Amino acid sequence: MADDTKRNGSRPLLKARRISLDTGRENVVVISRHSSALRPDVFRGFSRVELRVGTRILLATLLITDDDALVGPDEIGLSEPAFRRFAQPVDSLITVRPAASPASLDAVRAKIQGRTLKPTEIEAIIDDLTHYRYSDMEIAAFLIGSASFMTSGELLALVQAMARAGTQLIWPSPIVVDKHCIGSIPGNRSSMLVVPIVAAHGLTIPKTSSRAITSPAGTADTMEVLARVDVSVEEMKEVVAACHGCLVWGGHVNLSPADDILISVERPLSLDTSEQMVASIMSKKLAAGSTHLLIDLPVGPTAKLANANEAMRLRKLFEFVGDHFGIAVEVITTDGRQPIGNGIGPVLEAGDVMSVLTNDATAPADLREKSLRLAAHLLEYDPQLRGGSGYARARELLDSGAALKKMQDIIDAQGPSSCRNDVGKLTFDIAATADGTISEINCLQLNRLARTAGAPLDKGAGIRLFSKVGDRVERGQPLYRIHAYDQSELDLAAARANSGYTIGTRHPVTGETAL
C-alpha cells in the first residue's frame, strides 16, 4: 500500500475521490490496479465491495483502472451515483473489503426454481433492492422468476413491501381520489385535465405521475412544461392543502422507490406481466394514501391490452388488490385504437391540455370528452353529489373556467418551470400514400417515431397529428408533422418514418364504402 494510505487494523483505508462517471442506477467504484489494497487473495472471485465510514455502508460494483491519473494507488473513485448515495466528502478515509451477496438472493434463486416465496422473503428482496444492493443482473433474475408465476399471496406481499419501502403519505381528507392509465396511448394527457376539474369541485386529488421510460412523454414530463414537478413531500402537501390537488413527479417524493428500479430493468427485457403491472401501480397508490382509485385500461390492436379478455383479467387483479388494502377501485376500458389529442411530445401535449382548459374551439374533442368522463367517475365519489350528475358537474367546471383557474392555482403553487417550452421549429410532414379512409393508427409506431425526433428530452420535439381514424384523406395529404430541435434527429425520424396509418376504402365503424 502507498505510504500515505492508513489502515484500520488489517483493513485498508483509501481516500474517496469523486469521478465524473454516470453509472445510472448502479453504484460503481474504481480502484487502481497498482493499489496494494487490491490483493488477489482478498478480491479474487468478488466483483462487488463494501465501503464503510463509521456506521455508513455502501455496496458497489468494483472496476479496476490502469490509469493512475484517474484514480491513484491510495484512492478509491466513486461514480456520481455512488458518491451521492454514500454522502461522504472527498478525501474521506474509506474502509474497503469484499462484499458478500445479499442473503435475500437465496429467495431469488428459490423463486427461479419454482418455489412460492413467503412475505418476509419478498420484503427482504425489496429492502435490498431499494438500498442498491442488487446488480441489474440480480434484479432481472427476480423479475424473470416472478414472471414465470406469481401467486395471489405473493402479489399482495409484493405490493405491501414496495409501498412500505418509501414515503407513505397520510391526508386529512376522508376521501382521496386518484386515476391512473396503464399507458401506451400517445397524447393521452387526461390526468392534466381530470386533476383541475376534480380539485375545482373540492375533492382531494394529490396526483403523482411518472416520467417517460419508453414513451415520448409522461404526465410529469408534460406538466413540467407548465410548472415545476420535482417538489418535496412537504411542498407537495402545501400545494394540496392550498389547491386540493397537484401534478408532481412521483420519483422525487420517493413513493414506492422499488417500482422505478424494477421498471428500468423490465423495459429492456420487455417484461410486462399483469401481476408486475398491478404491483407497480397499486404500491404507489397505497403509498400515496389514495382511498378511491379509477383505472383506465385502453384496449386496441397496438395498446398494451389487445382485447376485452385481457382487460377483464387485469381488472380482476386490480379489484382483488384494492379490496385487500381497502382502496375502492373502479376499472374502466377505453378506446385504445389511436392517439388521444392532436399532439405527441411534452410541449405539444401541454398545448392540447391548455386548449381544452381555455375552451378553445380548436381543442381536441377526444381529449376533452375522455377527460370529462374520467372526471365524472371521480366526482361521483363525493357523497354530496347526486348519483349520475358527475358528468354534468365536470362539464360545468370546465365550461365555466373554474378548472382553468384551478390549474393556474396549481401551477403557481408548484412554481414556474425552468424548461424550454417552444415547439421544435424543424419539421417534416408525413403524407398519405393513397386515397381512402383511415381505419387504424399504430400507437406503438408513433411513440417510437416521436422519441426518435427527440422527445421527451427535447420538450418541443414530437408529432402534431392532422388526421384520425375515420377521417377521409387524399394521396399526398399530410397525416402528421414531425417536430424537432436537432436536424440530425429530424433526419433520422424522417428516414425511419413509415406512416403508421392504415388507409382503406371502408369506414372502420360504419363499414360503408368511402366515395
Side-chain angles (χ1 to χ4, degrees):
M1 181 171 294
D3 293 340
D4 59 347
T5 302
K6 301 178 181 179
R7 283 184 172 270
N8 177 10
S10 61
R11 295 177 186 169
L13 289 172
L14 296 177
K15 291 190 294 185
R17 180 168 183 172
R18 183 177 187 174
I19 55 177
S20 297
L21 184 63
D22 184 356
T23 54
R25 183 184 51 263
E26 287 202 64
N27 296 323
V28 174
V29 296
V30 183
I31 293 179
S32 168
R33 191 180 299 279
H34 308 120
S35 172
S36 57
L38 186 63
R39 299 200 310 271
D41 59 320
V42 174
F43 285 86
R44 183 181 294 116
F46 290 89
S47 62
R48 308 185 78 196
V49 290
E50 177 189 283
L51 278 60
R52 183 188 292 266
V53 173
T55 59
R56 190 131 187 120
I57 297 174
L58 182 79
L59 300 186
T61 299
L62 174 68
L63 299 180
I64 302 169
T65 181
D66 291 307
D67 184 1
D68 286 350
L70 178 65
V71 178
D74 65 336
E75 296 176 321
I76 181 167
L78 280 71
S79 66
E80 291 291 353
F83 186 85
R84 184 175 64 252
R85 291 169 188 148
F86 202 35
Q88 298 298 311
V90 171
D91 289 338
S92 296
L93 293 177
I94 299 176
T95 301
V96 185
R97 68 179 184 183
S101 296
S104 65
L105 278 176
D106 289 340
V108 172
R109 298 185 189 98
K111 186 62 183 172
I112 292 172
Q113 294 167 4
R115 183 166 68 80
T116 299
L117 300 184
K118 300 174 184 177
T120 53
E121 292 174 314
I122 291 176
E123 185 175 6
I125 290 170
I126 295 302
D127 181 68
D128 283 335
L129 190 149
T130 53
H131 285 87
Y132 305 98
R133 297 173 187 138
Y134 274 23
S135 67
D136 280 2
M137 185 181 300
E138 290 160 346
I139 296 170
F142 171 65
L143 287 169
I144 292 170
S146 300
S148 300
F149 83 98
M150 180 175 283
T151 67
S152 58
E154 286 177 314
L155 173 58
L156 295 175
L158 182 60
V159 170
Q160 185 151 10
M162 290 171 66
R164 286 178 173 175
T167 304
Q168 297 178 69
L169 298 174
I170 299 175
W171 304 99
S173 307
I175 297 176
V176 179
V177 302
D178 200 353
K179 60 85 55 179
H180 187 92
C181 177
I182 64 169
S184 77
I185 306 303
N188 187 21
R189 291 285 76 86
S190 56
S191 290
M192 290 178 63
L193 292 163
V194 169
V195 168
I197 291 172
V198 171
H201 178 73
L203 286 179
T204 299
I205 181 165
K207 179 64 178 168
T208 59
S209 302
S210 60
R211 293 189 184 276
I213 297 175
T214 58
S215 70
T219 297
D221 299 301
T222 305
M223 184 63 183
E224 194 171 36
V225 173
L226 305 175
R228 186 168 66 99
V229 297
D230 55 343
V231 305
S232 67
V233 172
E234 291 307 314
E235 288 174 318
M236 177 185 174
K237 289 180 178 179
E238 290 174 3
V239 174
V240 174
C243 305
H244 295 293
C246 65
L247 283 153
V248 303
W249 175 38
H252 203 72
V253 293
N254 200 39
L255 297 180
S256 187
D259 180 49
D260 296 325
I261 296 171
L262 291 172
I263 286 175
S264 65
V265 177
E266 285 173 355
R267 296 303 190 201
L269 297 174
S270 297
L271 287 174
D272 199 11
T273 66
S274 297
E275 289 78 9
Q276 287 168 349
M277 184 191 302
V278 170
S280 168
I281 294 168
M282 294 303 293
S283 64
K284 286 195 170 180
K285 302 311 176 186
L286 182 61
S290 302
T291 62
H292 295 74
L293 174 63
L294 178 67
I295 300 289
D296 174 14
L297 304 183
V299 178
T302 56
K304 285 183 180 180
L305 301 175
N307 55 59
N309 286 337
E310 293 179 7
M312 180 182 67
R313 181 175 184 275
L314 193 58
R315 172 178 63 81
K316 290 185 176 182
L317 277 178
F318 275 116
E319 291 170 346
F320 168 71
V321 174
D323 287 346
H324 180 83
F325 290 106
I327 301 175
V329 175
E330 182 180 4
V331 182
I332 62 172
T333 57
T334 56
D335 184 0
R337 294 176 302 151
Q338 62 179 330
I340 302 293
N342 298 332
I344 303 173
V347 171
L348 293 164
E349 293 177 24
D352 279 352
V353 168
M354 294 311 296
S355 69
V356 173
L357 284 171
T358 57
N359 294 296
D360 190 313
T362 64
D366 56 353
L367 178 61
R368 172 187 164 92
E369 184 62 22
K370 179 171 184 176
S371 301
L372 285 173
R373 294 195 178 279
L374 292 173
H377 282 274
L378 294 180
L379 291 175
E380 294 279 353
Y381 290 128
D382 180 1
Q384 303 302 315
L385 201 64
R386 294 184 64 83
S389 61
Y391 183 85
R393 177 60 174 153
R395 189 171 58 187
E396 174 193 351
L397 291 165
L398 182 58
D399 291 346
S400 68
L404 173 62
K405 183 180 183 305
K406 181 58 66 175
M407 179 58 131
Q408 192 58 59
D409 290 343
I410 292 172
I411 290 171
D412 292 342
Q414 289 182 201
S417 169
S418 59
C419 294
R420 185 174 177 179
N421 60 7
D422 59 313
V423 178
K425 299 298 189 295
L426 302 176
T427 63
F428 185 87
D429 286 0
I430 302 298
T433 56
D435 297 348
T437 301
I438 298 170
S439 59
E440 187 177 316
I441 299 177
N442 190 313
C443 292
L444 181 60
Q445 199 162 316
L446 290 185
N447 272 336
R448 289 173 176 169
L449 188 59
R451 284 184 68 89
T452 301
L457 293 180
D458 292 341
K459 298 289 189 184
I463 294 172
R464 189 188 301 276
L465 302 171
F466 300 135
S467 302
K468 292 288 190 70
V469 170
D471 289 349
R472 172 76 181 174
V473 295
E474 297 178 357
R475 180 184 176 87
Q477 178 180 334
L479 298 171
Y480 57 85
R481 178 169 295 154
I482 304 171
H483 289 264
Y485 292 149
D486 183 84
Q487 187 64 51
S488 62
E489 291 179 329
L490 179 68
D491 292 343
L492 182 59
R496 291 182 175 180
N498 176 0
S499 76
Y501 278 57
T502 300
I503 300 174
T505 58
R506 291 183 179 273
H507 193 284
V509 177
T510 66
E512 295 177 355
T513 301
L515 300 177

